[in-house]
């Protein structure tokens, strides 16, 4: 049975804004149109959305997801097998961490003795996907300098960052080109340049695009409010373009 966007959003538990964005970037577009002009999602659309959400659960960027599922060689069954494999690996690591928590609680109660090595079983810091991607984009020096600044950020600066995100989240349903939105996004631009290195207008716009292209960023930013990453992307793009003139 074909579904309208609100029905699908309610069924899956994601926002209408997210589905609209997937449509805008050509990741998932409704295949049917009702007699009244409503765009409807087919059963094939629902199956593809399931695939997209499996990829998202594994922190895969939207650009990469789009590239994979639009390939002529994409096999849904093979993809599900890969999802299963990777999710089992993820569960295995979580099981180890849960076991470490359980043993730590018993250790604190004096029921068992843990070795120092046992206290850190399940943690895996062999890779940092955010840092790896940043190194590819901007090089080691820029990332190292950024890491040093983040590590040395004062509590006041951390509070300022949180306040800016909270302010932007409170107006995310307004126009990203509005005077209020542009004033708030300028605060974010200034904050980045004061605390995280030098950002040109083009770099600022590119960073905003990463907020929606890379689901890892989207997931973290949208913790402040659903749809905030998309709102910030649009506001940052407009800010960069407007201030070049």
């Amino acid at each position: 049975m074909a579904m309208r966007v609100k029905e699908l959003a309610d069924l899956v538990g994601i926002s209408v804004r997210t589905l609209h964005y997937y449509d805008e970037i050509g990741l998932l577009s409704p295949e049917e149109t009702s007699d009244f002009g409503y765009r409807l999602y087919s059963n094939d659309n629902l199956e593809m959305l399931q695939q997209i959400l499996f990829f998202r659960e594994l922190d895969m960027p939207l650009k990469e997801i789009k590239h994979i599922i639009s390939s002529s060689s994409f096999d849904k069954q093979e993809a599900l097998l890969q999802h299963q494999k990777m999710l089992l690996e993820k569960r295995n690591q979580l099981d180890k961490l849960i076991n470490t928590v359980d043993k730590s609680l018993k250790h604190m109660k004096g029921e068992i003795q843990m070795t120092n090595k046992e206290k850190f079983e399940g943690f895996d810091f062999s890779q940092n996907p955010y840092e790896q991607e940043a190194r590819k984009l901007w090089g080691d020096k820029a990332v190292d300098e950024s890491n040093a600044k983040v590590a040395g950020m004062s509590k006041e600066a951390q509070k300022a960052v949180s306040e800016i995100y909270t302010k932007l989240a409170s107006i995310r349903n307004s126009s990203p080109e509005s005077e209020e939105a542009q004033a708030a996004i300028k605060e974010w631009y200034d904050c980045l340049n004061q605390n995280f290195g030098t950002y040109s207008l083009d770099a600022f716009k590119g960073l905003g695009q990463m907020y929606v292209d890379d689901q890892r960023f989207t997931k973290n930013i949208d913790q402040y409010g659903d749809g905030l990453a998309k709102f910030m992307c649009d506001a940052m793009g407009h800010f960069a373009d407007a201030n070049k003139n």
Side-chain angles (χ1 to χ4, degrees), residues 96-145:
K96 289 180 180 178
L97 287 170
I98 292 170
N99 184 55
T100 298
V101 171
D102 290 340
K103 291 171 70 174
S104 297
L105 288 170
K106 291 179 181 178
H107 175 78
M108 291 179 66
K109 295 176 183 177
E111 298 175 5
I112 62 170
Q113 288 294 318
M114 293 180 74
T115 66
N116 287 334
K117 184 177 181 180
E118 287 176 323
K119 293 175 183 177
F120 299 98
E121 288 182 349
F123 292 102
D124 183 5
F125 301 109
S126 60
Q127 295 186 34
N128 183 329
Y130 290 95
E131 183 164 322
Q132 283 187 328
E133 186 154 356
R135 288 188 186 279
K136 285 190 291 184
L137 290 169
W138 298 300
D140 289 346
K141 182 180 178 181
V143 175
D144 289 337
E145 290 176 352

Side-chain angles (χ1 to χ4, degrees), residues 70-84:
S70 61
S71 171
S72 59
S73 61
F74 179 67
D75 185 310
K76 292 181 182 179
Q77 183 172 339
E78 180 61 30
L80 286 172
L81 290 172
Q82 289 300 316
H83 293 321
Q84 183 184 54

Side-chain angles (χ1 to χ4, degrees), residues 170-187:
S170 70
I171 60 173
R172 68 188 187 280
N173 292 319
S174 64
S175 169
E177 299 180 10
S178 68
E179 184 176 338
E180 183 180 23
Q182 287 299 294
I185 213 66
K186 184 181 185 303
E187 289 185 41

